[in-house]
Every structure is written in C-alpha cells, then in structure tokens.
Amino acid sequence: MNSYLKVIGLVFGGVLLCACGRNQDNSSSETTTPVWIEEAKPRTIEEYVTATGTAKATQTTEIKSEMDGKYVLQRNPKTGKPYQLGDVVEKGTVIIRLENKQYENDVQLESKKLQIEITEKEWEGQKTLLEKGGATQKDVNTAETSYINAKLALENAYITLSKMEIKAPFDGVIVSLPYYTPNVEVTSGQAMVGIMDYSKMYVETQFPENSMPKLKVGQRVHITNYNIKSDTLKGELTQLSPVINEDTRTFLGYILIDNPKLKLRPGMFAKADVVTVKKDSVLSIPKDIVTKRRGNQIVFTVDRSAAVEKNIKTGINDDKYIEVKSGLEKGDRVVVKGYEWLRDRSRVKVMK
C-alpha cells in the first residue's frame, strides 16, 4: 500500500512540474506592439509668448462734403464701374465730384490765371525801367508784391475748387460709401466715403505678468487667424507698458502687422506668437511624445525589433517640437505612436 501511494505521488508531482513549465513558457512569450517611428533630426525651433487681440487698421478716415453740389460718383478705371465698397484706391484718387456751376463761377479761376500774367509782365517791365533809370526800387517791389498776391489768389482758387472733389487722402480701401441718387443735391457736412489703410495693421493685446522678462520691443511676431490658416503674417512688437494691471495681472503691448495682400481684415481676431528665443539646427523630436517617469524625461527608440527606453534632457520648444540637449543622436528612430504601451526591451513591430 505504501509503495502504491509513492507511485501516485510521483505521477502527480510530474504533472505539476509539466504544468508549471508550460506556464513559465507562456509567461515568457510577449505580445509584439505595433509602433510608428520618426527620425530625430535638426530643426529650427522658436519659443513663443502667445497673445490674442483684434486687428485694426493703422489709418482710417471718413470724408465729409465741404460744400453744396450735385452728387456724381466717379468710375474706377481698374473696373470700368462706379466706385464701390472694397475698391482699392491710391492717394489723390477722385472718388466723388460735387458739381456746382455757381460755385465755380464765383471762384473766377480764369481771371486769376490772367491776373498772374498781367502782374508778372508788370513786374518784369518795372525791373527793366529800373535798369534804365525810369523806375524806383519801390516801384519794382510793388509790382513784385502784386505778382505774388496774384499767385496766392490762384492757389487759393485751386484749394477752393478742390472742395468739389472727394479724394482719397492716402492709399487704402473703400469701407463705407453711403448711397446717394446720382445728381442729387447734397449739402456741406454730409458723409461721403470712408477709407482704411490696412496694408499695415496693429493689435492691442495683454500679456501675462510672468512673460515680462521674456518680452522686449523689436521682437518678431507670427500672426495667424482661423480664416487664413495657410498664411502666417509677419509682425513686430512695437510697444510694451511697464505697468501691471492689478485686476488681470497682465500688461499692455502693441504689435504692428505687415498685411501687403490685405488678407487680414480690420476687426478680425488675431493670434500673435512673439518669438522670444530662436535656435537653428537643433536636434528635436515631437514634444508630445516625451513622458515623465520617476522624475526623468523618457522617450522610446527602436533597435532592431525591440523598444529602448531613453532618458533625455530637453530645451526650448514650439507648438510641435522640443529641443533634445542629450540622450539622443541624429537619426535615432523615435517612437511617435504606440509608445504608451511600451517598456524597456518590449518587442515591437514598426508600422509604415
């Protein structure tokens, strides 16, 4: 009976050993994790302080009539049509004329032109007589004064007549153009046209208090708007207030924007990234893949078919990439997707 029990025990022990061996084999097998990689390589990285604000035109004006007259909207030579909202105009362009024959007659432009000719000849004649002894210096001076006054009278006549023309005071865009029936009589003081120059724009914005040591006048700025995502405009930080707002813990700044193609419009919401630090050709990787473990910054690279945990030191970063100061080499294959499930020496399969 005892020998029988010994045999049974040996058989049972063998079965347990086999089962344990199979469990150990199963535990040693590891799932292969699919990963996507990107090579670490040099890039230019700019670190920003970001602010937002409303874009405004640097020049804007509303021109009013300075006299009574019949309203005549001029034609845009570029389109062949009467001027309308959105038309680009150059400085000095006549947009509207006010016709008033009585006003023109009262100015007496032609008689003033003739008066210049008469007084100029009189002045020349007096100078000739002075050389011959037939006139005094006082006579010459009087004739010269009459000539100067005649010129001034003609200049004033032109200034007076210029009130009949509504001109663009600077290069810009027509942004308001109240409707008047053609040839209707308008009176002095009525709004005629509004013009903006937004080839240069500015943003008045607020910066957080903690950014004050990083910012200084003259720094470059990248300007974006959700309506023009494909384009980044250039700007410059032009003014900074030295005073912190006690309620908001922010301080005021002004940014000048180059807008040569008029893509950014007055009133648009603008995002401004002020470049505080720029480094060229620094080794960098996507910043979102850097994780922290035990106080270290960790990324994974791929060596053959295994993940390798790397401790790295980082520097500046922009919205996508971060500088790697140490821990990686140029060309290292860094895991950018699938790293969440990895540990050192995990088996991986690189996906394409």
Side-chain angles (χ1 to χ4, degrees), residues 10 14 21 30 46 103 111 118 122 145 174 259 263 343:
L10 289 172
E30 186 175 346
E46 295 176 331
Y103 188 82
S111 66
I118 294 171
E122 178 66 23
T145 300
I174 296 175
N259 188 35
K263 291 185 176 182
R343 54 188 176 82

PDB file of all heavy atoms in Angstrom, residues 10 14 21 30 46 103 111 118 122 145 174 259 263 343:
ATOM      1  N   LEU A  10       4.506  10.372  -7.168  1.00  0.00           N
ATOM      2  CA  LEU A  10       5.473  10.725  -8.205  1.00  0.00           C
ATOM      3  C   LEU A  10       4.773  11.182  -9.482  1.00  0.00           C
ATOM      4  O   LEU A  10       5.190  12.130 -10.143  1.00  0.00           O
ATOM      5  CB  LEU A  10       6.388   9.522  -8.483  1.00  0.00           C
ATOM      6  CG  LEU A  10       7.389   9.172  -7.374  1.00  0.00           C
ATOM      7  CD1 LEU A  10       8.088   7.845  -7.696  1.00  0.00           C
ATOM      8  CD2 LEU A  10       8.426  10.277  -7.225  1.00  0.00           C
ATOM      9  N   GLY A  14       4.910  14.930 -11.197  1.00  0.00           N
ATOM     10  CA  GLY A  14       5.350  15.151 -12.569  1.00  0.00           C
ATOM     11  C   GLY A  14       4.375  16.013 -13.346  1.00  0.00           C
ATOM     12  O   GLY A  14       4.758  16.875 -14.136  1.00  0.00           O
ATOM     13  N   GLY A  21       5.930  24.248 -16.003  1.00  0.00           N
ATOM     14  CA  GLY A  21       6.820  24.532 -17.127  1.00  0.00           C
ATOM     15  C   GLY A  21       6.070  25.215 -18.260  1.00  0.00           C
ATOM     16  O   GLY A  21       6.556  26.149 -18.885  1.00  0.00           O
ATOM     17  N   GLU A  30       5.898  37.225 -25.262  1.00  0.00           N
ATOM     18  CA  GLU A  30       5.492  38.615 -25.108  1.00  0.00           C
ATOM     19  C   GLU A  30       4.800  39.084 -26.368  1.00  0.00           C
ATOM     20  O   GLU A  30       5.231  38.771 -27.478  1.00  0.00           O
ATOM     21  CB  GLU A  30       6.720  39.484 -24.823  1.00  0.00           C
ATOM     22  CG  GLU A  30       6.365  40.927 -24.514  1.00  0.00           C
ATOM     23  CD  GLU A  30       7.611  41.708 -24.131  1.00  0.00           C
ATOM     24  OE1 GLU A  30       8.643  41.078 -23.856  1.00  0.00           O
ATOM     25  OE2 GLU A  30       7.532  42.954 -24.123  1.00  0.00           O
ATOM     26  N   GLU A  46      11.509  77.876 -32.503  1.00  0.00           N
ATOM     27  CA  GLU A  46      11.262  79.199 -31.940  1.00  0.00           C
ATOM     28  C   GLU A  46      10.321  79.057 -30.746  1.00  0.00           C
ATOM     29  O   GLU A  46       9.288  78.404 -30.847  1.00  0.00           O
ATOM     30  CB  GLU A  46      10.624  80.127 -32.981  1.00  0.00           C
ATOM     31  CG  GLU A  46      11.539  80.412 -34.160  1.00  0.00           C
ATOM     32  CD  GLU A  46      10.857  81.257 -35.215  1.00  0.00           C
ATOM     33  OE1 GLU A  46       9.607  81.178 -35.343  1.00  0.00           O
ATOM     34  OE2 GLU A  46      11.576  81.992 -35.920  1.00  0.00           O
ATOM     35  N   TYR A 103     -20.717 127.997 -57.904  1.00  0.00           N
ATOM     36  CA  TYR A 103     -19.520 127.957 -57.053  1.00  0.00           C
ATOM     37  C   TYR A 103     -18.267 128.132 -57.908  1.00  0.00           C
ATOM     38  O   TYR A 103     -17.368 128.900 -57.568  1.00  0.00           O
ATOM     39  CB  TYR A 103     -19.493 126.624 -56.307  1.00  0.00           C
ATOM     40  CG  TYR A 103     -18.433 126.504 -55.242  1.00  0.00           C
ATOM     41  CD1 TYR A 103     -18.628 127.026 -53.968  1.00  0.00           C
ATOM     42  CD2 TYR A 103     -17.236 125.843 -55.505  1.00  0.00           C
ATOM     43  CE1 TYR A 103     -17.667 126.912 -52.987  1.00  0.00           C
ATOM     44  CE2 TYR A 103     -16.261 125.719 -54.522  1.00  0.00           C
ATOM     45  CZ  TYR A 103     -16.477 126.256 -53.266  1.00  0.00           C
ATOM     46  OH  TYR A 103     -15.515 126.132 -52.302  1.00  0.00           O
ATOM     47  N   SER A 111      -9.902 134.286 -64.588  1.00  0.00           N
ATOM     48  CA  SER A 111      -9.457 135.668 -64.390  1.00  0.00           C
ATOM     49  C   SER A 111      -8.233 135.725 -63.482  1.00  0.00           C
ATOM     50  O   SER A 111      -7.357 136.587 -63.656  1.00  0.00           O
ATOM     51  CB  SER A 111     -10.597 136.509 -63.792  1.00  0.00           C
ATOM     52  OG  SER A 111     -10.908 136.066 -62.478  1.00  0.00           O
ATOM     53  N   ILE A 118      -0.639 139.271 -66.153  1.00  0.00           N
ATOM     54  CA  ILE A 118      -0.559 140.739 -66.173  1.00  0.00           C
ATOM     55  C   ILE A 118       0.458 141.237 -65.154  1.00  0.00           C
ATOM     56  O   ILE A 118       1.326 142.070 -65.461  1.00  0.00           O
ATOM     57  CB  ILE A 118      -1.952 141.347 -65.902  1.00  0.00           C
ATOM     58  CG1 ILE A 118      -2.902 141.010 -67.058  1.00  0.00           C
ATOM     59  CG2 ILE A 118      -1.855 142.853 -65.691  1.00  0.00           C
ATOM     60  CD1 ILE A 118      -4.346 141.383 -66.781  1.00  0.00           C
ATOM     61  N   GLU A 122       4.080 143.202 -65.642  1.00  0.00           N
ATOM     62  CA  GLU A 122       4.289 144.492 -64.987  1.00  0.00           C
ATOM     63  C   GLU A 122       5.560 144.490 -64.145  1.00  0.00           C
ATOM     64  O   GLU A 122       6.338 145.465 -64.153  1.00  0.00           O
ATOM     65  CB  GLU A 122       3.070 144.822 -64.117  1.00  0.00           C
ATOM     66  CG  GLU A 122       3.168 146.123 -63.345  1.00  0.00           C
ATOM     67  CD  GLU A 122       3.188 147.342 -64.250  1.00  0.00           C
ATOM     68  OE1 GLU A 122       2.704 147.258 -65.399  1.00  0.00           O
ATOM     69  OE2 GLU A 122       3.714 148.394 -63.808  1.00  0.00           O
ATOM     70  N   THR A 145       5.103 142.490 -55.453  1.00  0.00           N
ATOM     71  CA  THR A 145       4.072 142.144 -54.466  1.00  0.00           C
ATOM     72  C   THR A 145       2.754 141.819 -55.151  1.00  0.00           C
ATOM     73  O   THR A 145       2.049 140.866 -54.769  1.00  0.00           O
ATOM     74  CB  THR A 145       3.878 143.308 -53.484  1.00  0.00           C
ATOM     75  OG1 THR A 145       5.104 143.573 -52.805  1.00  0.00           O
ATOM     76  CG2 THR A 145       2.790 142.990 -52.470  1.00  0.00           C
ATOM     77  N   ILE A 174     -11.929 101.372 -49.883  1.00  0.00           N
ATOM     78  CA  ILE A 174     -13.218 101.989 -49.556  1.00  0.00           C
ATOM     79  C   ILE A 174     -13.995 101.045 -48.645  1.00  0.00           C
ATOM     80  O   ILE A 174     -14.292  99.909 -49.023  1.00  0.00           O
ATOM     81  CB  ILE A 174     -14.027 102.281 -50.832  1.00  0.00           C
ATOM     82  CG1 ILE A 174     -13.296 103.303 -51.697  1.00  0.00           C
ATOM     83  CG2 ILE A 174     -15.427 102.796 -50.481  1.00  0.00           C
ATOM     84  CD1 ILE A 174     -13.960 103.575 -53.038  1.00  0.00           C
ATOM     85  N   ASN A 259       0.632  93.505 -43.755  1.00  0.00           N
ATOM     86  CA  ASN A 259      -0.514  92.849 -44.392  1.00  0.00           C
ATOM     87  C   ASN A 259      -0.601  93.279 -45.862  1.00  0.00           C
ATOM     88  O   ASN A 259      -1.617  93.831 -46.311  1.00  0.00           O
ATOM     89  CB  ASN A 259      -1.797  93.230 -43.629  1.00  0.00           C
ATOM     90  CG  ASN A 259      -3.011  92.458 -44.069  1.00  0.00           C
ATOM     91  OD1 ASN A 259      -2.934  91.280 -44.418  1.00  0.00           O
ATOM     92  ND2 ASN A 259      -4.155  93.111 -44.070  1.00  0.00           N
ATOM     93  N   LYS A 263      -4.972  90.268 -46.632  1.00  0.00           N
ATOM     94  CA  LYS A 263      -5.678  89.042 -46.255  1.00  0.00           C
ATOM     95  C   LYS A 263      -6.312  89.155 -44.870  1.00  0.00           C
ATOM     96  O   LYS A 263      -7.394  88.646 -44.620  1.00  0.00           O
ATOM     97  CB  LYS A 263      -4.724  87.845 -46.306  1.00  0.00           C
ATOM     98  CG  LYS A 263      -4.303  87.482 -47.719  1.00  0.00           C
ATOM     99  CD  LYS A 263      -3.465  86.217 -47.747  1.00  0.00           C
ATOM    100  CE  LYS A 263      -3.143  85.814 -49.172  1.00  0.00           C
ATOM    101  NZ  LYS A 263      -2.362  84.559 -49.234  1.00  0.00           N
ATOM    102  N   ARG A 343       7.567  49.278 -22.615  1.00  0.00           N
ATOM    103  CA  ARG A 343       8.556  49.342 -21.542  1.00  0.00           C
ATOM    104  C   ARG A 343       9.884  48.934 -22.157  1.00  0.00           C
ATOM    105  O   ARG A 343       9.940  48.492 -23.312  1.00  0.00           O
ATOM    106  CB  ARG A 343       8.182  48.409 -20.382  1.00  0.00           C
ATOM    107  CG  ARG A 343       7.922  46.982 -20.756  1.00  0.00           C
ATOM    108  CD  ARG A 343       7.363  46.207 -19.568  1.00  0.00           C
ATOM    109  NE  ARG A 343       7.011  44.842 -19.925  1.00  0.00           N
ATOM    110  CZ  ARG A 343       7.869  43.822 -19.991  1.00  0.00           C
ATOM    111  NH1 ARG A 343       9.146  44.032 -19.729  1.00  0.00           N
ATOM    112  NH2 ARG A 343       7.446  42.619 -20.311  1.00  0.00           N
TER     113      ARG A 343
END
